[in-house]
Amino acid sequence: MQKVSVIIPAYNESKTIKETIEAVHAIRLIDEIIVVDDGSNDNTCEIARKCNAKVIRCAENKGKGNALKLGLLRCKGDIVVFLDADTEKTAREIVKLIQPIQDGICDVAIARFGRPKKKGGFGLVKLVSRYGTKLLAGEYIESTLSGQRAFKAEVLKNITIGTGYGAEVGMTIDIIKKGYTILECDVDMTHKETGRNLKGFLHRGKQMNDILVVLIRKAFERTGKNKN
């Protein structure tokens, strides 16, 4: 029987982490829950410990990519799930990502969310991430930005996990180029959404910048390999 680990990076998620962990605990397929507290200044860490998760506590906030890598150092699963801490009770939907891997249908399963519940940006970040991935890796993935993913553990040994908001795009490009199969799975999940306001636009501006950096880096990697 394949063991399943769930890694939850968390930064100041004291309002949501308890419900997220409890939803994962309720899934019988799960063997291990690891919360990486990425330097929170609230009581995320204490709540996660009370919920019987394994907790890695970072002294300072270094970003989601770093938190995921720390979690991987500790996890023992044959299947590894990355899960955002703000998914709360809808975290139970990760079973839809785990099952296709257990059944041998794919190497990586990515959650495809439904339409957002409130107006956010104008879709530019999504378009750039999707078509940038297609341009560099040759496959169109609608949910390139989704952080909810399940992997065969061996995949994670052969791809790069970057930093910043471009981490998912970089991982997706690596997964395709390494020849692994991706399945996008429709889920009924929710998480925090940014609105069409100053804070939301600043967030999306940072996202766009990080994604462009990743795409440019991957393009140079491809150019270098072609020359060799």
Side-chain angles (χ1 to χ4, degrees):
M1 190 69 179
Q2 293 176 306
K3 290 186 176 179
V4 181
S5 299
V6 178
I7 299 174
I8 306 174
Y11 176 65
N12 288 344
E13 296 287 0
S14 61
K15 295 180 180 176
T16 61
I17 190 68
K18 180 175 185 288
E19 199 164 1
T20 300
I21 293 172
E22 288 178 347
V24 178
H25 270 310
I27 302 171
R28 61 175 178 79
L29 299 171
I30 307 301
D31 297 284
E32 179 180 53
I33 302 172
I34 299 173
V35 173
V36 185
D37 180 6
D38 189 20
S40 298
N41 48 39
D42 63 6
N43 57 346
T44 297
C45 180
E46 291 75 17
I47 295 171
R49 286 192 172 122
K50 286 179 181 175
C51 291
N52 294 320
K54 295 180 181 176
V55 178
I56 300 171
R57 169 74 171 155
C58 302
E60 58 183 297
N61 178 238
K62 291 188 175 180
K64 182 177 177 181
N66 184 68
L68 291 172
K69 285 188 274 192
L70 287 173
L72 285 172
L73 292 175
R74 289 276 297 274
C75 89
K76 299 174 181 175
D78 305 297
I79 296 172
V80 180
V81 180
F82 291 167
L83 176 68
D84 287 350
D86 60 352
T87 49
E88 300 182 90
K89 62 183 179 184
T90 67
R92 61 177 180 262
E93 289 280 292
I94 61 171
V95 71
K96 293 178 179 175
L97 308 180
I98 298 166
Q99 201 67 60
I101 295 179
Q102 288 187 323
D103 293 342
I105 295 171
C106 61
D107 299 307
V108 179
I110 303 178
R112 182 164 50 198
F113 282 56
R115 295 178 65 84
K117 298 190 184 311
K118 64 181 181 182
K119 285 186 178 180
F122 298 99
L124 287 175
V125 174
K126 290 179 181 175
L127 281 176
V128 168
S129 63
R130 290 168 182 167
Y131 286 99
T133 298
K134 181 172 173 53
L135 179 68
L136 294 174
E139 190 172 336
Y140 181 84
I141 301 294
E142 184 178 343
S143 44
T144 301
L145 291 176
S146 175
Q148 327 312 311
R149 300 169 175 229
F151 304 78
K152 288 182 180 174
E154 66 184 63
V155 175
L156 291 162
K157 296 175 183 173
N158 293 305
I159 65 172
T160 301
I161 298 176
T163 58
Y165 293 112
E168 283 82 8
V169 172
M171 278 192 277
T172 304
I173 292 171
D174 282 359
I175 291 164
I176 297 169
K177 292 176 75 171
K178 295 282 185 180
Y180 295 115
T181 54
I182 293 176
L183 180 69
E184 294 185 88
C185 303
D186 292 326
V187 295
D188 186 17
M189 297 179 86
T190 59
H191 61 167
K192 291 176 189 169
E193 295 179 5
T194 54
R196 191 169 287 181
N197 50 34
L198 178 60
K199 185 179 179 182
F201 284 118
L202 289 173
H203 172 77
R204 282 183 287 279
K206 181 72 168 64
Q207 254 189 320
M208 180 67 87
N209 179 74
D210 287 0
I211 289 166
L212 288 174
V213 168
V214 167
L215 292 175
I216 291 169
R217 186 181 302 132
K218 294 296 180 186
F220 275 108
E221 287 177 8
R222 186 172 72 167
T223 303
K225 286 181 182 176
N226 288 340
K227 285 182 179 177
N228 293 333

